[in-house]
Amino acid sequence: MSNVVLRDVKKTYPGGVDAIKGINLEVGDGQFCVLVGPSGCGKSTLLRMVAGLETITDGEIDIGGRVVNEIEPADRDIAMVFQNYALYPHMSVYNNMAYGLRNRGTPKPEIDTRVREAAQILEITPLLDRKPRQLSGGQRQRVAMGRAIVRQPKVFLFDEPLSNLDAKLRVAMRVEIRKLQRRLRTTSIYVTHDQMEAMTLADILVVMNGGQVEQIGKPLDIYKKPATTFVASFIGAPPMNLLSVAANGLGEPLDTLQIKVPGDAILGIRPEDFVLAGTAPQGLALELMVDAIERVGAETYVYGTRPRADGGLTVSAKPGELPPGEIIVRLPGEAAPAIGERIKVSAARDKLHLFSPGGRSRMAG
Ligand SMILES: Nc1ncnc2c1ncn2[C@@H]1O[C@H](COP(=O)(O)OP(=O)(O)OP(=O)(O)O)[C@@H](O)[C@H]1O
Ligand SMILES: [Mg+2]
């Protein structure tokens, strides 16, 4: 059994940064857990605490039924793959993979079996005699994975292992890592700030923000029912549209909202949940002035602002930010309205998300 349990884990760095403010988490035996969140939210800190590379200020970390707070990294039976998986440049691929086992005094025939097995799984057998500089980025990444696999640890820890690779290779390696983990069934914790990676890899997804957990759940459950506006705008690309709603309506006479809103609220609609010119019985209908179009092939993103009945527009944007009131609509295919055109979009009632003004999820009424 090699589950990982965190009980009210906290980390304050010397100097007073509260990097982790109390996290509870259970990763079941053989599960793939992904920690996702923006830069500085504490992902690496949490992972390094599980690895034993950072001390734990408060709380308990338990690996396979044993509290490891006071246990040295080398004795925790974990293997870590980092973003900068520095391979030893003067050693062959074989020796890079064998190195850790030799240090532990593993018998030579056993080392040979493990290295060759891992090489076969990773399809790098023909590369075993090469030096790292004779490998592509993706091949080096495989060797780094190989080093972790030969250890046969209870737990794999990954810290953004793909972020040095180009976009295409990232996707390919993402699929490889998932297949590998399914095959080895080793409990894994994987850190990324890429929501696509998080969605596709995770059995359980942990969305972090400011040293705390915003939401834990299965990726699709989180996508369908984000607990907070933070999660709503972090998971999903383009992000969920968020509109302020007053108790007496949307504030724009051209728009209609046919749900009851208990006081001031924030209304969320995913870009793909809008339809063009549809009527939305018991839902939301907006009039938009189209101000930008992005065609990415299989789909098209329409950016629009909500015109006022008097002809003025409701928004002013800060540079680099989606202006308040700007709406993104995701349409299938390449067809799109023209820039400057006024369009009507609507979303069905069961597609609407309602949040409190503080950003917590509420049931739409
Ligand atoms: N050794 C350290 N001493 C003091 N503060 C630190 C130290 N390491 C990290 N921090 C701070 O702790 C917070 C969390 O850092 P951490 O590296 O865990 O973030 P992260 O989520 O991994 O971010 P990124 O996505 O950029 O890697 C940040 O505010 C960071 O500045
Ligand atoms: Mg980090």
Side-chain angles (χ1 to χ4, degrees):
M1 195 184 81
S2 52
N3 61 341
V4 178
V5 185
L6 311 190
R7 291 186 203 98
D8 212 16
V9 168
K10 293 181 188 158
K11 174 71 182 181
T12 305
Y13 279 109
V17 180
D18 288 324
I20 300 293
K21 295 172 185 161
I23 286 190
N24 290 287
L25 174 64
E26 175 161 5
V27 185
D29 188 19
Q31 272 190 327
F32 200 120
C33 169
V34 177
L35 310 178
V36 71
S39 185
C41 72
K43 306 179 292 296
S44 295
T45 300
L46 198 60
L47 201 70
R48 291 170 58 80
M49 284 159 85
V50 176
L53 302 172
E54 293 290 350
T55 56
I56 301 160
T57 308
D58 204 0
E60 239 174 38
I61 297 183
D62 183 314
I63 299 177
R66 172 174 76 146
V67 175
V68 296
N69 287 36
E70 305 300 330
I71 306 230
E72 289 296 315
D75 300 326
R76 289 191 185 193
D77 215 350
I78 48 104
M80 201 157 169
V81 182
F82 297 95
Q83 175 181 350
N84 297 311
Y85 40 82
L87 302 174
Y88 299 109
H90 57 286
M91 285 185 199
S92 66
V93 166
Y94 184 100
N95 287 331
N96 263 284
M97 284 162 69
Y99 185 77
L101 295 179
R102 280 192 193 127
N103 272 354
R104 278 154 200 270
T106 311
K108 224 173 169 181
E110 168 83 21
I111 295 178
D112 194 61
T113 307
R114 289 204 203 176
V115 169
R116 292 193 185 279
E117 249 174 40
Q120 203 177 3
I121 291 172
L122 293 161
E123 295 171 11
I124 52 173
T125 305
L127 309 177
L128 283 173
D129 293 329
R130 290 206 203 165
K131 297 279 166 60
R133 71 180 133 75
Q134 297 167 309
L135 302 176
S136 72
Q139 290 167 338
R140 276 182 219 155
Q141 178 59 38
R142 279 165 205 265
V143 179
M145 300 278 300
R147 258 192 329 202
I149 292 173
V150 296
R151 300 264 314 277
Q152 303 183 342
K154 278 190 187 155
V155 181
F156 284 130
L157 303 175
F158 300 94
D159 195 351
E160 312 229 17
L162 306 184
S163 47
N164 283 345
L165 305 180
D166 67 48
K168 203 171 153 200
L169 202 49
R170 275 185 85 123
V171 175
M173 282 302 297
R174 183 171 91 203
V175 176
E176 290 301 313
I177 288 181
R178 191 64 186 118
K179 282 201 279 193
L180 192 66
Q181 200 268 347
R182 286 252 159 81
R183 173 164 176 183
L184 300 174
R185 296 189 182 283
T186 306
T187 311
S188 301
I189 306 180
Y190 186 105
V191 161
T192 180
H193 59 263
D194 179 333
Q195 62 96 26
M196 256 313 257
E197 236 169 78
M199 287 296 292
T200 52
L201 284 172
D203 294 319
I204 41 169
L205 182 55
V206 181
V207 185
M208 291 175 60
N209 181 27
Q212 280 167 318
V213 170
E214 288 271 333
Q215 191 170 3
I216 299 180
K218 290 185 192 158
L220 281 178
D221 290 346
I222 290 182
Y223 184 82
K224 286 178 191 154
K225 280 234 161 292
T228 62
T229 48
F230 176 87
V231 175
S233 47
F234 197 82
I235 300 293
M240 184 185 281
N241 295 291
L242 296 170
L243 287 173
S244 296
V245 199
N248 57 1
L250 281 165
E252 293 298 331
L254 297 171
D255 302 334
T256 57
L257 177 62
Q258 295 175 335
I259 58 170
K260 265 208 206 90
V261 179
D264 292 350
I266 298 168
L267 186 66
I269 315 100
R270 295 242 178 242
E272 63 270 33
D273 288 335
F274 276 119
V275 290
L276 265 186
T279 51
Q282 300 177 321
L284 168 76
L286 299 176
E287 189 158 301
L288 297 180
M289 173 86 87
V290 176
D291 47 34
I293 303 276
E294 287 176 342
R295 285 190 176 83
V296 294
E299 56 199 24
T300 300
Y301 307 135
V302 177
Y303 293 75
T305 27
R306 296 153 69 212
R308 286 181 191 283
D310 62 13
L313 292 173
T314 47
V315 288
S316 61
K318 274 189 228 154
E321 229 178 53
L322 197 63
E326 175 130 274
I327 301 289
I328 309 179
V329 177
R330 180 168 169 178
L331 302 175
E334 295 169 28
I339 289 174
E341 196 179 324
R342 279 196 184 196
I343 58 170
K344 283 203 169 106
V345 295
S346 62
R349 181 189 184 124
D350 63 354
K351 302 291 187 191
L352 303 178
H353 302 259
L354 205 57
F355 302 93
S356 69
R360 297 253 138 216
S361 180
R362 274 182 183 171
M363 295 303 286

